[in-house]
Structures are given as structure tokens and as C-alpha cells.
Amino acid sequence: MIKHKSGSLTFFTPDVNLDASAHYFDTGISAGFPSPADDFKEHRLSLDEELVKNKEATFYARVSGQSMIGAGLEDNDLLVIDRSLEPTNNKIAVCFLDGEFTVKRLRVEKDEVWLQPENPNYPIIRITEDNNFLIWGIVTNVIKKV
């Protein structure tokens, strides 16, 4: 992976490695009572195949900050971002705003765009023609450490 730091997000370009797979057990993992271990069927699973739909347009970025905690995006989470997806109302997007990258929920009505944080301690940002603004990509998945 190649790492790039920009503002509050750290971006990673994924390596295209055809053998990047891990062991996968093709059964549900019970969150209640355990199931018998002999029911496990082992396969190989590629997270790239599961999480990345367009390899050429997909990047990863690490979240820095708390503005999106209500959407489940927490400090140090890893975002999967697809630049080929159409930005639409209510999508979570990585945006370039006035020289810095940010991740927010898009609010689009008629000819107006707002960037909506998912934490009441942060203000809603109204985009105007005075802003240097670009929707860089749409968040498709989040990878968390537990």
C-alpha cells in the first residue's frame, strides 16, 4: 500500500495483489450459543473482492477526528472510498474543501449542497461558490479495529 497524508485524512492506494486472501469459514459465527465446530467449511476469502468493486478507482483513507461518530466512523477507522460512484444525497463522501480533505454526509437540495457531520458538536457546512470544493469519492465500507 502507498501512503499519502493530506489534512485530516491519510490516504492509502491499494496494492493489486491477486493472492491477497485469507482463510474464511463459510458458516455464520454465532453471537449467542456456540455451534458445533465440525460444521466449519474452510475457504479462501479476498477482502479486495468483497470490499472493492472498482480497483482502479478505489482508495483507502484513515479517519482522524470525531465528526462522523453518529454514522459509525470513528477516529482511526479505515475507509474504503470509490471515486467512480455518483455522489448523491445522503451518501457519505470524502470531499476536498478549501485546501483540506474531510468526510461528511452529503445533503443535496436543488442547487444547494451541505456537508452534514454526524456529531452535534460539529457545524453543518453550507457549500457556496466561494468555496474551493470537490467531491473526491464515496465511502462504501469502513474497517474497524476491535
Side-chain angles (χ1 to χ4, degrees), residues 29-57:
I29 303 266
S30 175
F33 295 104
S35 61
D38 59 1
D39 290 340
F40 286 110
K41 298 175 192 171
E42 184 179 335
H43 300 283
R44 299 294 287 181
L45 173 80
S46 166
L47 289 178
D48 279 347
E49 288 179 19
E50 291 293 318
L51 302 178
V52 176
K53 302 304 178 212
N54 185 344
K55 289 182 183 179
E56 294 77 29

Side-chain angles (χ1 to χ4, degrees), residues 5 11 37 49 72-73 88 97 131 137:
K5 180 76 172 166
F11 290 90
E49 288 179 19
L73 307 182
T88 57
L97 176 63
N131 293 114

Side-chain angles (χ1 to χ4, degrees), residues 10-146:
T10 303
F11 290 90
F12 302 89
T13 305
D15 289 331
V16 180
N17 183 347
L18 298 177
D19 193 29
S21 60
H23 292 282
Y24 171 64
F25 295 99
D26 191 16
T27 63
I29 303 266
S30 175
F33 295 104
S35 61
D38 59 1
D39 290 340
F40 286 110
K41 298 175 192 171
E42 184 179 335
H43 300 283
R44 299 294 287 181
L45 173 80
S46 166
L47 289 178
D48 279 347
E49 288 179 19
E50 291 293 318
L51 302 178
V52 176
K53 302 304 178 212
N54 185 344
K55 289 182 183 179
E56 294 77 29
T58 298
F59 295 83
Y60 301 97
R62 194 161 305 279
V63 175
S64 176
Q66 300 291 322
S67 72
M68 293 297 290
I69 58 173
L73 307 182
E74 299 177 74
D75 194 50
N76 223 22
D77 285 350
L78 191 62
L79 304 178
V80 181
I81 305 156
D82 190 335
R83 296 193 69 199
S84 70
L85 296 177
E86 187 73 27
T88 57
N89 186 52
N90 211 34
K91 293 286 185 181
I92 295 176
V94 172
C95 302
F96 185 76
L97 176 63
D98 297 332
E100 291 193 22
F101 282 95
T102 187
V103 59
K104 300 285 183 282
R105 187 172 302 280
L106 292 175
R107 295 291 183 210
V108 181
E109 290 182 21
K110 298 179 185 174
D111 292 332
E112 295 187 313
V113 176
W114 290 271
L115 300 181
Q116 172 78 46
E118 297 284 338
N119 181 333
N121 297 324
Y122 291 81
I124 297 170
I125 302 167
R126 182 176 177 266
I127 303 302
T128 69
E129 60 187 32
D130 295 332
N131 293 114
N132 179 9
F133 177 69
L134 173 72
I135 298 172
W136 196 80
I138 301 301
V139 175
T140 59
N141 292 282
V142 59
I143 300 169
K144 297 181 161 294
K145 290 183 181 179
V146 291

